[in-house]
Every structure is written in structure tokens, then in C-alpha cells.
Amino acid sequence: MTMTNLAYDTPADGGDVSQQDIAAMQALRPVPRISIQAFCETEGVASPVKLAGEDRRMAKAHLKVHMGGIATAIEFYQSAPTPNLILLESRSEPKQLLEQLGQLSEYCDPTSKVVVIGHYNDVGLYRELIRSGISEYVIAPVSMTDIVSVVSSIFVDPEAEPIGRSIAFIGAKGGVGSSTIAHNVAWAMSTLFKSEVVVADLDLAFGTANINFDQDPVQGIAEAVFSPERVDEVYLDRLLAQCAEHLSLLAAPSTLERVYDFDPDAFSQLIDTAQRSAPLLVLDIPHVWTGWAKSTLIKADEIVITATPELANLRNTKNMMDMLKRLRPNDPPPRLIINQAGVPKRPEIGSSDFAEPLGITPMAVIPFEPLLFGNAANNGRMLGEMDAKSPIVGLVNEIAHVLTGRSEIKAKKKAGLGMLLGKLSRNKK
């Protein structure tokens, strides 16, 4: 048993997660691949422990919850090895609790860490538990956030190098411009903030990042995905193509010489390594719903859905939003970008009507401007390189600010959008 001086006395809410909890969870790093066994006496503790095991930050950990307290644990470990971490709930009085823990220690491996969730706010008990080698003493009631925070505090080295933030872009349909926006936002983040950004094109068959950035690398993301055992920071660096001073690309081969069927965790090693190599990782995910696409979205720090203002896009966006909210209950909902608004003679859904059933405010509404986008695509340049003063480039820059936490979505930007759309209308006359 190991020791860390930390006690918690926080309220629990069971299943509902507050905005404060979500903010706290966003600051936590993923827990490494460890085994955890919990022995709970009450459903009020078992429920948040189970919810913690479902959080994406605990994805690598293997958690098993048993009903029954320390007595059940003692019986269990008489014939089973102890895991990396044991979570114990006990309603026993301090003296009895210390006696039970003494009995349990006879069957515990010295390297196993123990967290006790007790029902007595007793300073003397806390000191005794710390002296006896307990890693943490948490006072019930507890929340899911408390559990993940405790596990993280024990197993995540606070002195370790920071992990880069992953931002996943996906389209509600094919052809909505998700990749174009992802690449331009990545370029904007690298140029505006002078921050290292890596773009990973996950559409191995039809990816366009190499074309948009005017690159033709010999190697790229395929080498990493098909040889995950070789992937480390040095190997990854050899695969990266330099697109700008602070922007690197993991290009897709964009060939059909082989099929690209992957296991759900096929990109995990690559993404983990890339996040240790750069502060910002932009994941360009194709419009598919496979095990690996779903897994990659679940684990991303931020998700951006791009949609055009029509009914099929609204349906698909609603389905994706609902699914991702269920899969990521402790994270903010995905961001929404409405693209290609104001196509001449095309009936479309207004941005407010599109966003209303989704329950979110669009991060940006980008007007249809084929000349700017077409010239940029055909020349292998970013929008900001073609026309730095374009209002659309201004919108892309604002997206970059929001996704890096430098600003919030501002409702008043609707006025600016109306001016843009009005300008387009005047140009059509």
C-alpha cells in the first residue's frame, strides 16, 4: 500500500454531471492501463464507480465492481491476486475499519494501492489510515468525477510531459467540407498562435489533406497504422510531412491498392504518440460509422461536426449528437459548424431552425463562396493564403480561437453572418 496525503469531502449526484464536473474532467489526463477492483457496500457508491469506469479517461483501465465491503475483499483475495488498485467502501466505525484493513493487508501485494471510501469525517481516522499505507481516504458521498480524479491523482505523474489536445472533425454527410475546414482550422491555429499542430488524415482511401496542403510524401499514416508496434516519437517524426513552420501532416496514401478494414483501436497507438509530440492534434475523420471511427471520436478531447443546412444533414447530425452524448456523458457536446450556407436557388434550413432541435449554438455558419474555396483547393493553398482579409478567413480564425480555449462562441456573430450573406446576395444580382 502506498501513501498520498489527500482527503475528499464532496457531494455526489450519482448519474447527472454538472458543468463544474465537466470542466474538472476536461483537465484530467487519461489513466494508464491498470486493473481496478472495487468493493462497495451501497449503491450510492457503486453507481458513480461504475460510471467512472465508463468514462473515456478510464478507457485503458480494467474496472470490476463487487457488492460487499472489506469482508468480501478479504474473502476474495484469499484465493486471487490483488490488482493495481483496490477501492473499498466501508460504513464501519473507525476502530473496526482499521482492524478490517489490518486483516486485508495480510492478503495484499505490497505494490497494490488502496483507496478507502468511508462515512466518517474523522481527522484522527484519516491520519491513522495514511500512516498505515492507505493511498487515499475519500468521504462519502462521492461522485463519478471524484473517483476519476482520485485514480488519476495516484497513477498519472504530475511531472510528466503534457499531452496534446486532440480535435476530431467529421462531416454529417460526405461532401459537406469537413476536411477542408479541418485543414484550414489547423493551419490557422499553427499560424495565429505559433503552436505546433499535427494533422492526421484518417481517410486512407480518399483523403485530401495531401492535395490541400500541396504535399506528396513517400510515407504517411498508413505505415504507422499497419505497424503499430514500431510507432514511437522518433518513428512518427519520420512519417510527418512539414506543411508550414508549425504545421505537420500525417498524409493518407489515397490509393485503392488495399482495403482499409481496421480494428476499433487501430489508431490508438498512433494518436497517443502524436499527442505526446505536439500540443494540438487535428483528426480528419471520414464520414463513416465503423468501430475505429466510433472509438476515435469517443476518445477525442473535442469533436466538431460539419453539416450543410438541409434535412438529411440535420437528421445525421442529430443522430451523431445523441449517440456521442450517450457515449461521452462527462464531456461537452460536439461543436457544430454549418457550412455552405446560402447556395443559390437551393432550399435550405435556416441556421437557427437547424440548431434548435440539436440544443446547441453553431460555432460558425460559413457562407457558400465557391470562388475562394475552389481557388484554394485547385492551388493547394489554405484560405488564409489566398485571401487573408476574407470574412470567411475571419470565421476560420474565430473557430481556431474557440477550439483552443482562447474565446467562447458569441451569439452576436449572427449579425456579421447576415452581412456576409447579404454581400453574397448582392453579388448574385
Side-chain angles (χ1 to χ4, degrees):
M1 299 180 181
T2 52
M3 179 176 69
T4 304
N5 289 324
L6 182 62
Y8 293 82
D9 188 6
T10 52
D13 54 24
D16 294 333
V17 183
S18 67
Q19 288 301 117
Q20 186 176 1
D21 283 336
I22 289 176
M25 294 290 285
Q26 288 291 94
L28 296 177
R29 294 175 59 164
V31 172
R33 200 175 302 278
I34 57 172
S35 56
I36 307 171
Q37 290 182 341
F39 294 84
C40 304
E41 293 188 355
T42 65
E43 190 59 36
V45 169
S47 178
V49 171
K50 291 174 184 176
L51 288 172
E54 297 170 0
D55 183 76
R56 65 178 177 86
R57 281 148 286 252
M58 295 271 284
K60 293 182 180 178
H62 179 73
L63 171 65
K64 176 71 174 177
V65 179
H66 307 266
M67 293 310 296
I70 299 177
T72 303
I74 293 172
E75 182 180 355
F76 185 85
Y77 291 125
Q78 287 179 6
S79 58
T82 53
N84 301 111
L85 174 64
I86 306 172
L87 292 171
L88 300 168
E89 181 192 5
S90 175
R91 290 178 291 181
S92 301
E93 295 182 356
K95 182 178 179 180
Q96 184 183 5
L97 172 59
L98 291 168
E99 290 174 354
Q100 290 175 324
L101 290 172
Q103 297 173 31
L104 177 63
S105 66
E106 298 177 13
Y107 304 100
C108 276
D109 188 287
T111 61
S112 293
K113 302 179 189 297
V114 176
V115 170
V116 176
I117 302 172
H119 292 255
Y120 285 84
N121 192 357
D122 187 316
V123 174
L125 171 62
Y126 168 69
R127 290 173 177 167
E128 275 300 315
L129 289 172
I130 295 303
R131 275 199 292 267
S132 68
I134 298 300
S135 295
E136 308 282 7
Y137 180 58
V138 187
I139 302 169
V142 294
S143 69
M144 175 277 305
T145 305
D146 295 330
I147 299 299
V148 180
S149 298
V150 168
V151 177
S152 180
S153 72
I154 297 173
F155 289 96
V156 177
D157 181 5
E159 301 300 321
E161 289 293 321
I163 294 178
R165 184 172 179 77
S166 62
I167 306 171
F169 287 78
I170 188 169
K173 275 183 66 179
V176 298
S178 174
S179 293
T180 298
I181 291 173
H183 304 160
N184 278 276
V185 170
W187 185 85
M189 291 189 295
S190 71
T191 54
L192 290 172
F193 315 129
K194 308 303 179 188
S195 180
E196 295 299 322
V197 180
V198 171
V199 176
D201 190 345
L202 274 57
D203 189 352
L204 272 68
F206 302 107
T208 58
N210 54 349
I211 296 174
N212 287 349
F213 287 111
D214 195 23
Q215 297 288 322
D216 189 21
V218 176
Q219 294 180 306
I221 197 168
E223 282 71 22
V225 175
F226 288 111
S227 302
E229 71 283 352
R230 299 179 61 189
V231 176
D232 57 21
E233 284 89 343
V234 175
Y235 184 66
L236 180 66
D237 189 61
R238 294 208 304 266
L239 300 178
L240 290 171
Q242 195 73 26
C243 302
E245 184 180 358
H246 299 286
L247 182 65
S248 302
L249 169 65
L250 272 171
S254 304
T255 67
L256 304 180
E257 294 177 0
R258 64 194 304 173
V259 293
Y260 303 106
D261 297 328
F262 299 120
D263 294 330
D265 294 323
F267 290 90
S268 296
Q269 177 66 22
L270 169 65
I271 292 172
D272 290 346
T273 305
Q275 286 185 268
R276 293 194 299 269
S277 305
L280 290 167
L281 173 63
V282 172
L283 302 170
D284 181 6
I285 302 177
H287 177 71
V288 294
W289 194 248
T290 60
W292 69 261
K294 178 180 175 183
S295 177
T296 303
L297 287 170
I298 291 172
K299 295 175 184 177
D301 293 309
E302 187 93 60
I303 300 171
V304 179
I305 298 175
T306 300
T308 55
E310 54 189 7
L311 187 58
N313 273 264
L314 177 56
R315 180 204 62 187
N316 291 356
T317 302
K318 183 72 166 63
N319 288 343
M320 292 173 68
M321 288 274 188
D322 292 345
M323 175 62 71
L324 290 168
K325 285 179 184 177
R326 288 197 297 271
L327 296 174
R328 296 159 51 92
N330 312 319
D331 288 274
R335 307 277 192 176
L336 171 66
I337 294 176
I338 298 178
N339 193 28
Q340 300 174 13
V343 174
K345 300 182 180 179
R346 180 186 70 178
E348 60 184 44
I349 303 171
S351 59
S352 58
D353 292 333
F354 192 99
E356 191 273 332
L358 304 175
I360 62 170
T361 300
M363 182 164 53
V365 182
I366 300 177
F368 180 67
E369 194 162 322
L371 185 62
L372 175 62
F373 282 91
N375 283 336
N378 289 338
N379 287 280
R381 295 290 182 267
M382 296 292 101
L383 300 174
E385 294 176 295
M386 300 300 296
D387 184 0
K389 296 182 179 180
S390 166
I392 290 180
V393 173
L395 286 174
V396 171
N397 291 343
E398 289 179 15
I399 293 170
H401 276 84
V402 171
L403 292 179
T404 55
R406 289 171 168 83
S407 68
E408 297 293 329
I409 298 173
K410 299 175 182 177
K412 66 181 182 181
K413 290 300 174 184
K414 290 179 181 178
L417 171 65
M419 184 173 65
L420 281 171
L421 293 177
K423 177 185 174 183
L424 287 175
S425 298
R426 289 193 297 272
N427 290 340
K428 295 168 199 169
K429 292 180 181 178

